[in-house]
Amino acid sequence: MSMHIPRIPGIDFAAVGRQLGYLEIEHSDNENDAAVIPSPIAVLSGGDGPTVLLIAGTHGDEYEGQILLQELIRSLNPDEVTGRLIILPALNISAVREGRRVSTVDRANLNRALPGRADGGPTEQIASIVAEELIPMADFVMDIHSGGIASEYVPSAFVYQGPTPELWAAKTAAVAAFNVPYSVVVKPMLKAGSISGAADRAGVPMISTELGGRGTVSLQILNRARSGLRSLLGHWGVLKDAAASVASGAGSQSNAEAPTRWIQLTAQSPVHSSMAGLFEPVVELGQQVMAGDLVARVHSVEELDRPSKDFFAPMDGVVAIVRHPTLVNVGTTLVNIAVDHGTIPPKGNHVPS
């Protein structure tokens, strides 16, 4: 018995082995008439077992996940897999080619576009395939992000709270298996149209990440995420050797690494600039601050006699995100302060999805 998706020709999702292909995204513009934008996909299957959907390149300027998933596709043999890995290493291929958060093809944010439309523009088509075809096929989902060109995060897993006790327990267990220094938790359904929200609606456990940023790759973060990804896939039961390692206690939280620290972004977290000019960070990423501490300063470019403006922490917490480009405008987020929960995950916030 075969299983095909019309917009992913040549891939039989029921077949055992390695298959490489493309999502065919229809696009017609001034240069192209009835062309397709090919978004690469790999399917590695060893037979019966769970299905894990791995995504990177949702935003084109976030590179850690693209490297990790390209590596995984090249290094992994199907006979090492129990079940099936569906890997999309450059999901928003047009944005990846441009090295930008969103593509100039339609300037739409893929992580705000789900469930998308099969007859829509390129971003809506990709969103539709992910939401309507691939997530329902999966038992677990991971979407690998970082801060991109515009910002830098503490290296972290990133999860939506809830939406049910069962899903929240599955997410917190996955975070422990991935075991990077931080886990950022946000309210359920934080962003309309996100992949995390689509997975919640489908009842599929999912974690995302924010692995640094600044439009480049940190070797230290990449190495930590590389081992964490294999540990996570073992925890999810889709990698034979890694699963055995986890079962023996040699996996998830190794003695060499401190347990993940849970931090929470809230509506009070962002510190927005009320002045255009040059952003000077006054705190370091990961630094503990108290409410009222100086965290940023903005200097005017043209008004030479205008004093710089200071900005302060709205609450106690951890500096979780720092803007990277120095030029800012009124309304630009300079830093984000996250509530620090220590090594204990906050309770799930269970709401109807």
Side-chain angles (χ1 to χ4, degrees), residues 136-330:
M137 197 185 299
D139 297 292
F140 307 98
V141 181
M142 185 181 203
D143 184 20
I144 306 177
H145 288 261
S146 71
I149 291 170
S151 61
E152 183 179 13
Y153 283 70
V154 290
S156 54
F158 190 101
V159 288
Y160 282 18
Q161 280 183 291
T164 66
E166 294 76 19
L167 278 180
W168 182 237
K171 291 177 187 181
T172 56
V175 168
F178 188 50
N179 192 28
V180 289
Y182 293 87
S183 181
V184 176
V185 60
V186 295
K187 68 180 183 179
M189 300 297 166
L190 175 70
K191 298 293 184 182
S194 68
I195 295 174
S196 292
D200 274 0
R201 284 190 293 273
V204 179
M206 172 178 162
I207 69 169
S208 185
T209 72
E210 293 292 353
L211 300 176
R214 290 180 174 258
T216 186
V217 173
S218 159
L219 178 60
Q220 181 180 10
I221 294 173
L222 191 67
N223 283 336
R224 182 76 177 262
R226 184 178 283 127
S227 61
L229 177 58
R230 282 194 167 262
S231 175
L232 175 62
L233 295 178
H235 167 73
W236 279 340
V238 76
L239 281 192
K240 293 178 181 177
D241 290 345
S245 175
V246 170
S248 69
S252 53
Q253 299 218 343
S254 122
N255 291 332
E257 306 287 3
T260 297
R261 194 167 195 91
W262 285 82
I263 58 177
Q264 185 167 13
L265 293 175
T266 71
Q268 290 73 47
S269 292
V271 177
H272 299 296
S273 180
S274 55
M275 174 180 169
L278 305 176
F279 162 51
E280 175 193 353
V282 185
V283 288
E284 298 285 350
L285 199 65
Q287 181 177 328
Q288 293 275 347
V289 296
M290 303 291 288
D293 284 354
L294 179 67
V295 294
R297 186 176 287 124
V298 174
H299 304 266
S300 175
V301 175
E302 298 91 353
E303 300 176 68
L304 302 183
D305 59 348
R306 182 176 181 181
S308 60
K309 187 164 187 176
D310 292 342
F311 296 87
F312 304 93
M315 59 186 178
D316 299 351
V318 176
V319 180
I321 312 169
V322 176
R323 176 177 168 81
H324 177 49
T326 300
L327 280 172
V328 299
N329 212 329
V330 175

Side-chain angles (χ1 to χ4, degrees), residues 1-5 8-21 41-45 84-86 137:
M1 180 179 177
S2 61
M3 183 189 308
H4 296 275
I5 296 173
I8 312 179
I11 299 289
D12 180 358
F13 287 89
V16 172
R18 176 192 301 272
Q19 300 176 81
L20 305 178
I41 183 172
V43 180
L44 305 178
S45 177
R84 176 174 53 189
L85 284 171
I86 302 172
M137 197 185 299

Side-chain angles (χ1 to χ4, degrees), residues 26-37 94 97-98 103-106 122:
E26 294 180 358
H27 181 53
S28 180
D29 59 16
N30 290 332
E31 289 78 33
N32 301 285
D33 177 30
V36 295
I37 301 172
S94 297
R97 288 171 176 168
E98 297 174 12
S103 167
T104 56
V105 169
D106 58 10

